[in-house]
Amino acid sequence: MSATTPSPLRVAIIGAGQVADKVHASYYASRSDVNMVAVMDSRLEQAQAFAARHAIPTAWQDTREMLENTQPDIVSVCSPNRFHFEHTLLALEAGCHVMCEKPPAMTPQQADEMRRLARKAGKVLAYDFHHRFALDTQLLRQEVMNGTFGEIYFTSAQALRRCGVPGWGVFTNKSLQGGGPLIDIGIHMLDAAMYVLGFPAVKRVTAHSYQKLGNHKNYGQFGEWDPARYTVEDALFGTVEFCNGGLLRLDTSFALNIREQSVMNISFCGEKAGATLFPAHIYNDVRGELQTLLQREAADDQRHFRSMEAFVRHVQGEPVMIADAEQGWVIQQLVAAMYESAEKGKSIELC
Ligand SMILES: NC(=O)c1ccc[n+]([C@@H]2O[C@H](COP(=O)([O-])OP(=O)(O)OC[C@H]3O[C@@H](n4cnc5c(N)ncnc54)[C@H](O)[C@@H]3O)[C@@H](O)[C@H]2O)c1
């Protein structure tokens, strides 16, 4: 622990919904060196019920009041996407370290301002891109650095659901979310792919998006939604061209007529070997036969826990990797470029 890090760390949570409940509060409750002191939600009764459930002493409806009165060291931002910018800025200005849910923000300009303020304030700003914390992802990143794959020139990332439009929250509302599956689930595989590849410089982005099912159907694996108020894409297919000549394909959907209920995985194809991510499996070809070089039996199911743990340990001064504000900004630029490309029907040059 760094000499200047308070202990226990005082934590406040903004947005008392399901990810705050299942991930953030559950993780903080597991640590004896962290105290949850406050929770805020735009619906006060939601904050109060959350506080009661997690034995948090105070519940608030106003972020500024909460920050002034409870003086937290750490803030978890778990509000809908549209409010990440405002809540992160308020928390950083109040001198807090921030764990902000993905996506970083609604636009690259906002993510840029967030990263600049974090740097100026000397505070940690991490994003909850938890798939990069899976042992599978860590293994592949290590093998990329070891040169196991040679040059990786094709990567295929998929974050697909057959009929998995979220039936809760505001995930189908473009003005509150910024988009559909790309900004909600595709962004996770985009971050994991970029992380394994070492965030290569991007030359050009091209994408096509569709709204064919979400505005007609109304029920799926995550419950019911209102097709009349469905304002986001239900599928998007994008290509990122890197300055090093490599290609990354990203296919993502809330609803698409595929065979599987859900696919969240990435394939990396290099000169010497290839890999799939979940579970990590590295292979090559010997005279037409698949040869396994390295394999994990099952995908790591503790990745969300590891993401939270990395953040707290980083705040405590340990040199552990986080999904930082610089990389969050890059990911936000890619998401924006894909949406812009799909809207304008042309490729977007990024360098
Ligand atoms: N890392 C992940 O895998 C993961 C998983 C789920 C959600 N998320 C992200 O977490 C965020 C929340 O998602 P969720 O599934 O918990 O949604 P949710 O709808 O369950 O919760 C959102 C909460 O925020 C509250 N809220 C709405 N407007 C607010 C405002 N202006 N100020 C404060 N609170 C406000 C709502 O009342 C609700 O309680 C989203 O940004 C989402 O992308 C990330």
Side-chain angles (χ1 to χ4, degrees):
M1 157 121 25
S2 138
T4 53
T5 310
S7 184
L9 285 163
R10 296 165 61 79
V11 176
I13 294 175
I14 299 179
Q18 62 95 30
V19 80
D21 194 42
K22 294 200 181 98
V23 178
H24 294 246
S26 305
Y27 174 73
Y28 293 133
S30 75
R31 293 189 71 118
S32 57
D33 54 355
V34 167
N35 258 359
M36 286 183 279
V37 296
V39 56
M40 176 269 169
D41 199 283
S42 52
R43 295 176 290 159
L44 184 59
E45 66 286 3
Q46 177 86 357
Q48 287 166 336
F50 191 97
R53 219 165 37 250
H54 293 282
I56 300 173
T58 65
W60 305 82
Q61 200 171 13
D62 184 277
T63 309
R64 278 194 183 81
E65 268 181 35
M66 176 184 76
L67 293 169
E68 276 168 27
N69 283 284
T70 64
Q71 304 273 310
D73 304 301
I74 283 181
V75 170
S76 267
V77 173
C78 302
S79 45
N81 298 356
R82 177 159 166 187
F83 306 106
H84 290 185
F85 175 65
E86 171 193 333
H87 290 148
T88 298
L89 258 51
L90 284 172
L92 288 170
E93 280 161 1
C96 305
H97 303 286
V98 178
M99 170 54 119
C100 177
E101 265 307 332
K102 44 54 62 172
M106 298 284 274
T107 65
Q109 292 73 20
Q110 290 179 340
D112 186 22
E113 207 174 318
M114 290 154 85
R115 106 192 144 98
R116 284 169 190 274
L117 182 59
R119 202 194 291 158
K120 193 169 153 208
K123 296 293 166 190
V124 178
L125 170 55
Y127 296 115
D128 190 23
F129 286 123
H130 63 273
H131 295 277
R132 66 156 76 182
F133 295 89
L135 297 179
D136 309 80
T137 321
Q138 293 298 314
L139 177 72
L140 293 201
R141 175 70 195 136
Q142 188 57 49
E143 293 305 318
V144 166
M145 289 192 289
N146 290 347
T148 304
F149 300 95
E151 179 192 339
I152 296 179
Y153 53 92
F154 180 65
T155 300
S156 173
Q158 297 188 314
L160 297 169
R161 294 182 188 154
R162 187 175 61 233
C163 191
V165 177
W168 72 94
V170 297
F171 295 89
T172 62
N173 178 328
K174 191 170 179 183
S175 73
L176 291 173
Q177 273 292 109
L182 170 61
I183 204 165
D184 187 42
I185 55 175
I187 197 170
H188 272 307
M189 292 299 103
L190 190 58
D191 176 74
M194 288 293 283
Y195 174 75
V196 169
L197 295 171
F199 274 78
V202 173
K203 185 175 178 189
R204 185 180 295 124
V205 168
T206 312
H208 294 83
S209 70
Y210 297 86
Q211 195 194 68
K212 300 279 188 190
L213 304 176
N215 54 348
H216 288 105
K217 293 173 77 106
N218 69 349
Y219 200 88
Q221 55 171 308
F222 297 121
E224 200 171 348
W225 70 93
D226 180 358
R229 293 163 64 170
Y230 189 94
T231 55
V232 297
E233 84 277 6
D234 47 42
L236 181 142
F237 310 101
T239 305
V240 177
E241 293 173 60
F242 297 113
C243 297
N244 65 15
L247 273 191
L248 161 61
R249 289 258 332 144
L250 175 69
D251 301 335
T252 185
S253 67
F254 276 164
L256 185 68
N257 281 319
I258 53 172
R259 197 182 57 162
E260 301 85 351
Q261 192 177 57
S262 165
V263 184
M264 285 288 263
N265 217 333
I266 307 176
S267 302
F268 298 91
C269 305
E271 289 170 293
K272 295 199 257 176
T276 46
L277 181 57
F278 295 129
H281 183 191
I282 303 178
Y283 38 76
N284 64 5
D285 178 87
V286 179
R287 299 166 73 87
E289 298 288 331
L290 190 75
Q291 170 182 262
T292 292
L293 303 177
L294 256 177
Q295 189 167 22
R296 279 178 49 80
E297 284 303 308
D300 179 11
D301 62 1
Q302 295 297 304
R303 58 193 95 156
H304 227 144
F305 172 91
R306 295 185 206 286
S307 168
M308 295 298 299
E309 181 174 67
F311 167 65
V312 172
R313 287 176 58 197
H314 197 91
V315 166
Q316 290 175 333
E318 290 187 54
V320 290
M321 183 273 289
I322 53 168
D324 68 22
E326 304 292 324
Q327 292 175 336
W329 178 47
V330 173
I331 296 295
Q332 194 86 48
Q333 288 175 63
L334 294 180
V335 166
M338 283 195 196
Y339 280 134
E340 188 184 346
S341 169
E343 195 183 317
K344 293 186 174 162
K346 62 174 198 175
S347 298
I348 306 299
E349 305 290 328
L350 288 185
C351 75

